Amino acid sequence: MQTADTVFAGSIPVLYDRYLGPALFEPYAADLAERLRFLSEGHVLESAAGTGRVTRALCRTLPPEVAIIATDLNQAMLDFAAAQPGAERVVWRQADATALPVEESSFDAVVCQFGIMFFPDKAAGYREAFRVLRPGGRFVFSVWDRIEDNEFAKVTTEALATLFPADPPLFLARTPYGHYRIEPFADALRAAGFRQVAVEPVEHTSRLDSARDLAVGFCRGSPLRNEIEARRPGSLQEITEAAASGIAARLGHGPIAGKMRAYVITATR
C-alpha cells in the first residue's frame, strides 16, 4: 500500500520534472548513464524511473543494441515519462521494485536513481535486483546524502518550518534525504548476495532561475504537497508563495544555486 510519501499523482509529475528535474536529477542521471557506457548490447532494467530523466540519459548514452525496460510504481509518473521525446525505444511497465515481474538472470544492469529511499522493504528490493541480474551484472543506484549537505532541500524545509512551527512538514528530511547512512546499504547488499559493493560520493551544484521555482518544485511537485494540504487545506498556493519568500531571504531574489551531495553505489552480482 502506498503512503503519502510515495504518491506522485495529479499535477505532481509535470511540476516535479519541470522544476526539480533539471536542478536536482539531470546531473546525476548523466552520471548513472555514463557508468553503464561499457555495455555494447544486452538488457537494462530501471526501477523507480519516475519522469524518465535517467531513462532518457540511458537512451542517449547506450547503443540501440541495449534494450531498456523502465518501471515505476506510479502510473502517473510512467505516463508522463512515456510521453516525453528521446525514449521511444524504451518499454515502460508499471511494477513494484520489490517484486519485479521479470525472469531471473535476465538483465546485465539494474539502475535506480533516488528511488531506494521510497522502498518499504529495501532488502526485498536488493534481493530482486540480485535475482534479475545475470552473473557479473551490476546494480547501480544513488541515494541522497543528509539534508544538511543538500542546500535546496534544507532551506525549503527550514522555510516551511517557520510556517508550521508546531508540526513542520518533514517529508524531505524523512524520506528522500533520510536514508544516507551507507553502512546499512552495504551490509544489506552483501546479505542479498552481491559480491562487490563500491560507494562513491558525488557532488554537484543545483541551479534554478528563482526561489519561487524551487518552492513550486518541492511544495507542489513532490509528496511534500500532501503534507502541506493535510495541515492547511486550500492554502497550497499561499504556502508556496510564503515558502518562496523564505527561500529568497536565504538564497537571493535572482537565480539561485546550492550544493548537493549524493552517493552512487555499484553492487556486482
Side-chain angles (χ1 to χ4, degrees):
M1 179 181 296
Q2 288 183 314
T3 68
D5 280 7
T6 63
V7 175
F8 291 77
S11 62
I12 286 180
V14 176
L15 298 173
Y16 177 93
D17 192 74
R18 177 180 176 183
Y19 293 105
L20 301 182
L24 302 183
F25 304 123
E26 191 64 33
Y28 289 101
D31 178 278
L32 283 185
E34 281 295 323
R35 293 169 190 266
L36 297 186
R37 188 179 283 277
F38 69 92
L39 289 173
S40 58
E41 59 182 3
H43 296 77
V44 172
L45 174 71
E46 183 183 359
S47 296
T51 58
R53 288 276 166 177
V54 171
T55 323
R56 296 190 288 277
L58 291 170
C59 289
R60 293 191 299 268
T61 304
L62 302 181
E65 291 77 14
V66 178
I68 301 170
I69 296 178
T71 68
D72 198 278
L73 187 61
N74 288 276
Q75 187 63 49
M77 296 290 262
L78 280 181
D79 291 343
F80 179 90
Q84 305 311 302
E88 291 77 12
R89 65 195 261 200
V90 175
V91 175
W92 304 92
R93 296 181 66 176
Q94 184 179 27
D96 183 340
T98 65
L100 293 166
V102 297
E103 295 181 2
E104 63 182 38
S105 303
S106 53
F107 289 90
D108 300 281
V110 174
V111 179
C112 184
Q113 172 167 263
F114 302 125
I116 295 291
M117 304 88 78
F118 294 89
F119 292 6
D121 186 343
K122 295 172 182 57
Y126 303 149
R127 290 193 297 271
E128 276 296 272
F130 184 87
R131 181 184 69 82
V132 305
L133 281 170
R134 297 186 174 113
R138 300 182 190 180
F139 179 29
V140 185
F141 66 96
S142 54
V143 296
W144 292 114
D145 199 354
R146 60 183 192 153
I147 197 169
E148 289 81 4
D149 290 317
N150 287 276
E151 195 165 9
F152 277 9
K154 178 175 181 287
V155 298
T156 301
T157 298
E158 291 173 347
L160 287 169
T162 66
L163 303 173
F164 297 92
D167 186 19
L170 296 176
F171 160 72
L172 295 176
R174 178 178 62 249
T175 302
Y177 298 91
H179 300 275
Y180 55 86
R181 300 188 186 281
I182 294 303
E183 293 80 5
F185 283 109
D187 291 344
L189 286 163
R190 294 187 182 99
F194 289 97
R195 56 188 177 85
Q196 295 178 359
V197 178
V199 180
E200 180 183 349
V202 180
E203 295 184 355
H204 287 289
T205 298
S206 46
R207 303 181 189 277
L208 277 171
D209 289 339
S210 69
R212 187 177 185 278
D213 283 356
L214 179 57
V216 171
F218 274 138
C219 295
R220 294 169 55 191
S222 84
L224 186 56
R225 173 181 188 150
N226 304 323
E227 286 196 302
I228 293 171
E229 292 183 317
R231 284 161 173 75
R232 197 174 299 173
S235 66
L236 183 62
Q237 182 64 32
E238 173 192 346
I239 295 301
T240 301
E241 298 301 331
S245 296
I247 294 167
R250 293 281 301 277
L251 299 182
H253 293 272
I256 60 173
K259 72 171 184 176
M260 53 183 174
R261 191 172 193 269
Y263 294 103
V264 177
I265 301 166
T266 302
T268 303
R269 190 189 194 286

